[in-house]
Amino acid sequence: MLSSDWYYCLDHHTVEPYEGCRSASRLGPYRTIDEAWAALARVAERNEAWDHDPRFVDDAEADDSKPDDERSDWGPFGG
């Protein structure tokens, strides 16, 4: 039986079916072999977008005088 899911293995730098290396060592699943081969490019694109997303840019004017647990805006969802 052929797998319909493909993964990019970070240990071996290759594409493999579900029956491959452990999940912690690979990216996916992807629907096609070509999508799996493009996994690292997709990661790079997402990292670039994340680095320039205004929601995640550190604010130089943030109140860093108090520890996080004493700041009024501290928490997993902001304040």
Side-chain angles (χ1 to χ4, degrees):
M1 181 169 129
L2 294 175
S3 173
S4 61
D5 292 333
W6 296 94
Y7 299 81
Y8 184 84
C9 177
L10 297 168
D11 291 339
H12 302 107
H13 307 285
T14 189
V15 171
E16 57 190 29
Y18 176 79
E19 300 81 10
C21 293
R22 61 191 180 99
S23 295
S25 297
R26 57 192 190 168
L27 303 172
Y30 297 96
R31 284 184 260 157
T32 67
I33 292 173
D34 290 337
E35 287 178 6
W37 274 116
L40 293 181
R42 187 169 183 166
V43 167
E45 290 171 6
R46 288 180 173 176
N47 285 345
E48 184 71 19
W50 178 279
D51 288 345
H52 295 94
D53 189 320
R55 296 174 297 170
F56 305 110
V57 174
D58 291 336
D59 186 1
E61 298 177 13
D63 180 12
D64 292 330
S65 62
K66 297 180 183 178
D68 285 341
D69 59 349
E70 292 180 17
R71 290 174 47 191
S72 62
D73 64 339
W74 185 86
F77 304 107

